[in-house]
Amino acid sequence: MKIRILVGAQWGDEGKGKIVDLLSADTDYVVRYQGGANAGHTIKFDDQEIVLHLIPSGMFNGDAKCVIGNGVVIDPIALVEEIEEVEEIGVTLKDRLFISSSAHVILPYHKVLDNVKEKNRGKDAIGTTGRGIGPAYVSKVARLGIRMGDLANREKLKKNIQQNVDDINKALEHVYNEPKIDAQKILDDLTPAIDRISPYICNTTELLHNAVDKKASILLEGAQGSLLDVDHGTYPYVTSSSPTAGGACAGSGIPPLAITNALGITKAYSTRVGNGPYPTELFDEAGEKLRKNGAEFGATTGRPRRCGWLDLVALKYAVRLNGLNELALTKLDVLDDFETIKVCTHYEHNGAKTDVFPLDTGELEHVKPVYKEFEGWNSSSRNIDSFDDLPKKALEYIRFIEEYIGVPFTMVSTGPKRNETIIR
Ligand code: GDP
Ligand code: IMO
Ligand code: MG
């Protein structure tokens, strides 16, 4: 049985939610392993559209067990809202949703700190989603965090929250000149959410070890994208976790040697939300058209996404970082009415040409993309069921990418709905 890691191969929003939903029909367990409600994974089927932030995207197609792994940071109040949305669609979560007792809790002070620190950075702001992600991982690594399993002991929880709040209030008052936080209010707001989610909190590490022993099929759902990885991304313009395949084991407890596949998701062009270097970003009509055709507005914050051509230097880097052995190409249809389509094959820097993705963010800011140009296919790729029936010029474009990166596209997505996918 497959134990497959699915990662975003760009800067996020590649269509991971859509592909996880599609694959979950043949999957026993779908596991989120990092990030938090900064993610927005859109799923469309029949007349339904739902954006999931914390719950794995495996709830709606088949009966996979959905696990929020230890590596995720969870805002209990956001989770309750999401549980209610999912239940409204008619999905029963009993025996379907499992939340790791080791996952860390995002508390209101993490969100306050996220926003205060962003404000203080001024023009150097990261452009975070404001969901408290960075500060929550700081608490975790500083060993001050509260874990989902700690929510049951109210006395201890109260003491821990009070200690953290006392500490943070000193910074808010004396360093940031911001209003102080009230620990009791946090507890009062949190209590109904704890009651609502506590039935789902358990030892998911044991659950997944048993699943591995039973040779169950498991899909590890990455959030964000490889280029937002805290180690391998465009630091400091990254998220605070490891979305790359390497993070999947740490964030779930599944051992590396159990993994059989690494599937990357890439758009047929590129987007980025938030700040940071983006060599192929477009500021012209073509960029506007990508945004309009692709409805490129953040699924979590609603911000317009920055849009540009596909960057093969960056994609090849993601392929190698994650050891991808399969790729899904999404949003091919967005390019259907372009006269010409460009793809970046190299960067130029200080007069030299390179196909190596620079790890220095300052350098990445200054590289100039070198493009290969393709004629557009000017016809609809939607509702095509077979790979070979795609427009000839679209096939040329796809085959060029495959050859460059050395990995085949096993899926091509030509629309947001589950059935708008060509399986090769
Ligand atoms: P994720 O974060 O990687 O799950 O991606 P998002 O849900 O944030 O953004 C992807 C957007 O593209 C969503 O609105 C999807 O419904 C949509 N989408 C996914 N695949 C396709 C596709 O092949 N074509 C089009 N037109 N839209 C798609
Ligand atoms: P999905 O899972 C796109 C970006 C933010 C910001 C940076 C840090 O839907 O692909 P954070 O709030 O994580 O501290 O913000 O990361 N970012 C995303 N961009 N898709 C996402 O998730 C993202 N999650 C975070 O815009 O630049
Ligand atoms: Mg998204």
Side-chain angles (χ1 to χ4, degrees):
M1 275 300 194
K2 277 186 185 165
I3 302 188
R4 199 184 219 175
I5 302 174
L6 178 148
V7 296
Q10 299 171 303
W11 278 285
D13 305 325
E14 297 88 349
K16 298 177 292 293
K18 172 187 161 155
I19 302 293
V20 171
D21 168 72
L22 179 75
L23 295 175
S24 61
D26 302 319
T27 301
D28 300 315
Y29 293 81
V30 179
V31 186
R32 268 283 303 272
Y33 59 86
Q34 46 67 237
N38 48 349
H41 295 181
T42 314
I43 298 168
K44 286 192 186 177
F45 58 97
D46 306 331
D47 292 328
Q48 299 282 0
E49 169 171 342
I50 182 161
V51 180
L52 295 174
H53 305 282
L54 283 161
I55 295 177
S57 305
M59 278 292 173
F60 305 104
N61 195 10
D63 53 8
K65 295 187 190 308
C66 290
V67 177
I68 304 181
N70 57 278
V72 177
V73 282
I74 302 173
D75 175 345
I77 294 169
L79 180 58
V80 168
E81 277 170 22
E82 211 168 298
I83 285 174
E84 279 168 7
E85 260 184 82
V86 169
E87 284 179 340
E88 240 169 65
I89 295 180
V91 177
T92 310
L93 295 184
K94 190 172 175 324
D95 296 326
R96 293 287 312 281
L97 179 66
F98 301 84
I99 304 168
S100 169
S101 54
S102 305
H104 278 249
V105 181
I106 297 193
L107 288 157
Y109 48 78
H110 293 125
K111 289 198 231 175
V112 170
L113 285 176
D114 192 358
N115 292 310
V116 165
K117 282 172 188 286
E118 279 287 271
K119 193 169 104 186
N120 265 38
R121 276 177 172 261
K123 66 170 183 32
D124 296 325
I126 309 279
T128 72
T129 59
R131 299 297 190 269
I133 306 298
Y137 280 114
V138 168
S139 291
K140 171 177 172 171
V141 176
R143 294 159 293 182
L144 294 166
I146 293 166
R147 308 204 291 180
M148 295 304 283
D150 300 329
L151 296 177
N153 184 338
R154 304 289 163 102
E155 274 313 301
K156 197 164 156 230
L157 178 66
K158 185 173 176 182
K159 192 169 144 238
N160 284 347
I161 290 183
Q162 189 65 59
Q163 273 173 350
N164 280 326
V165 166
D166 288 346
D167 203 40
I168 287 159
N169 275 341
K170 282 182 212 146
L172 288 176
E173 194 179 8
H174 301 297
V175 182
Y176 298 115
N177 201 18
E178 292 282 338
K180 291 203 286 186
I181 295 168
D182 178 4
Q184 188 57 48
K185 178 160 188 331
I186 293 180
L187 271 164
D188 292 346
D189 291 347
L190 200 59
T191 304
I194 298 175
D195 293 340
R196 187 77 170 79
I197 59 185
S198 54
Y200 305 107
I201 301 173
C202 61
N203 179 346
T204 57
T205 309
E206 166 80 0
L207 180 79
L208 292 173
H209 287 168
N210 291 338
V212 171
D213 287 348
K214 281 188 291 192
K215 309 238 174 301
S217 64
I218 303 175
L219 182 60
L220 291 141
E221 175 181 4
Q224 290 78 54
S226 302
L227 302 173
L228 290 173
D229 187 283
V230 68
D231 283 282
H232 303 290
T234 53
Y235 192 88
Y237 300 99
V238 292
T239 192
S240 299
S241 65
S242 303
T244 44
C249 294
S252 66
I254 294 178
L257 292 184
I259 306 296
T260 60
N261 288 58
L263 163 65
I265 317 293
T266 177
K267 288 180 195 183
Y269 52 97
S270 66
T271 62
R272 174 166 199 165
V273 196
N275 300 328
Y278 179 8
T280 63
E281 181 169 17
L282 291 169
F283 300 95
D284 58 4
E285 271 172 33
E288 266 310 317
K289 189 164 165 176
L290 287 173
R291 189 172 304 109
K292 187 166 155 277
N293 285 7
E296 294 295 356
F297 294 88
T300 296
T301 58
R303 290 178 287 179
R305 294 175 181 151
R306 301 158 66 190
C307 296
W309 298 121
L310 183 63
D311 181 342
L312 292 182
V313 178
L315 185 60
K316 183 140 192 185
Y317 172 61
V319 166
R320 298 178 86 183
L321 261 181
N322 293 295
L324 300 179
N325 59 355
E326 346 165 38
L327 263 167
L329 183 71
T330 60
K331 305 192 88 159
L332 182 70
D333 54 296
V334 172
L335 300 179
D336 279 351
D337 62 348
F338 277 77
E339 289 299 322
T340 51
I341 294 161
K342 291 187 191 175
V343 57
C344 168
T345 56
H346 292 85
Y347 296 151
E348 238 172 50
H349 185 54
N350 289 338
K353 230 171 142 187
T354 179
D355 60 1
V356 178
F357 190 76
L359 298 184
D360 178 64
T361 301
E363 185 179 331
L364 192 62
E365 260 160 18
H366 291 105
V367 299
K368 202 172 143 272
V370 180
Y371 290 112
K372 177 174 167 63
E373 201 168 295
F374 288 81
E375 254 180 69
W377 43 94
N378 273 306
S379 63
S380 176
S381 62
R382 288 183 96 148
N383 304 312
I384 292 178
D385 302 325
S386 146
F387 185 76
D388 294 324
D389 292 341
L390 281 168
K392 217 169 134 257
K393 285 180 180 150
L395 286 175
E396 271 169 35
Y397 181 63
I398 294 172
R399 290 199 169 113
F400 179 82
I401 302 167
E402 286 183 326
E403 195 147 312
Y404 186 105
I405 57 176
V407 183
F409 287 114
T410 50
M411 279 172 265
V412 177
S413 170
T414 59
K417 284 195 173 179
R418 192 185 283 161
N419 57 356
E420 292 175 303
T421 319
I422 300 169
I423 311 278
R424 208 163 158 201

